[in-house]
Amino acid sequence: MSDNGSQNKIDLEIVRRVQRGDKNAFDLLVIKYQHKLAQLVLPYVHDRDDVLDVVQESFIKAYKALPGFRGDSAFYTWLYRIAINTSKNYLTAQSRRPPRSDVDANDAEYYDGGSAMHDNTTPEANLAKQQIKEAIDRAIANLPEELKVAITLREFEAMSYDEIANVMDCPVGTVRSRIFRARETIDNEIKDLL
């Protein structure tokens, strides 16, 4: 956790530099977080070019709002909330629903039973691993938006429950419940494959 604390301090110092007029300092935050934001936006926005547009729009909104950033939460938590809201606004403007299978669940190791296949390299094991990955992708894609965001932030962005609650603007208990329900749904989807 101390690593997160030092990262928060570094981010806050960069933010303060931008607030004092150092426009180039914001580039450091863009470089640091652009890939993470793209992963966060991906479940919402299907087309990769549109993902880049939404990420860019998120950074523009963050830059414009930066004078009001007080540091009450971590910068990246604040930025993630902007990105999620920008994604939702994009979908509303496009009259779309989130895509069915764009969350990148690379390894089944995140879920019970996946580690048993990790060291196997037989064609059968590779096929089973691919089937599990596809089942996980399908399960995540079919989750309601609140569950999808919660599980994505927890499993793929490694955010704490408190950070997720801040991003999603809800109590920590709600976050825990959403993550539990998401995991339960995913487990039910893959249990026959394990």
Side-chain angles (χ1 to χ4, degrees):
M1 290 296 175
S2 62
D3 189 38
N4 281 344
S6 64
Q7 287 302 313
N8 293 342
K9 285 182 181 181
I10 292 168
D11 289 351
L12 190 55
E13 180 52 39
I14 295 170
V15 167
R16 298 294 180 237
R17 284 175 48 193
V18 175
Q19 290 173 331
R20 290 190 300 263
D22 182 355
K23 293 182 170 111
N24 293 329
F26 192 73
D27 292 345
L28 298 172
L29 295 170
V30 172
I31 291 166
K32 183 174 181 179
Y33 291 113
Q34 62 189 350
H35 296 296
K36 285 188 172 193
L37 282 193
Q39 287 299 107
L40 184 69
V41 167
L42 199 55
Y44 295 95
V45 182
H46 185 69
D47 184 86
R48 294 200 182 262
D49 291 332
D50 291 343
V51 167
L52 298 177
D53 289 343
V54 171
V55 168
Q56 182 177 10
E57 180 67 22
S58 299
F59 278 116
I60 290 169
K61 287 179 179 181
Y63 184 79
K64 289 179 180 177
L66 209 54
F69 179 76
R70 296 183 314 269
D72 295 337
S73 63
F75 171 78
Y76 70 86
T77 303
W78 179 77
L79 181 63
Y80 281 12
R81 182 181 285 174
I82 290 172
I84 288 173
N85 289 335
T86 303
S87 298
K88 289 177 183 177
N89 292 342
Y90 170 84
L91 289 175
T92 300
Q94 300 295 317
S95 299
R96 288 195 206 162
R97 295 187 49 80
R100 303 313 264 172
S101 62
D102 261 355
V103 174
D104 184 21
N106 285 327
D107 295 313
E109 300 162 336
Y110 293 113
Y111 304 97
D112 292 334
S115 60
M117 292 188 305
H118 183 63
D119 294 326
N120 293 335
T121 56
T122 65
E124 294 83 9
N126 288 336
L127 176 62
K129 186 175 180 179
Q130 181 62 31
Q131 289 174 334
I132 290 171
K133 180 193 179 303
E134 289 171 3
I136 291 169
D137 287 347
R138 231 181 358 266
I140 291 173
N142 290 325
L143 289 171
E145 182 179 317
E146 300 82 22
L147 303 185
K148 186 185 309 185
V149 171
I151 196 75
T152 300
L153 293 175
R154 181 68 178 166
E155 298 297 338
F156 304 111
E157 296 299 327
M159 293 177 81
S160 71
Y161 289 106
D162 289 333
E163 291 167 333
I164 297 168
N166 194 359
V167 167
M168 296 186 76
D169 197 24
C170 65
V172 172
T174 302
V175 169
R176 290 183 189 281
S177 173
R178 288 174 181 173
I179 290 171
F180 174 81
R181 290 186 356 239
R183 286 178 176 155
E184 188 174 51
T185 301
I186 293 165
D187 287 346
N188 286 336
E189 186 74 26
I190 65 171
K191 69 181 176 186
D192 293 335
L193 298 172
L194 296 178

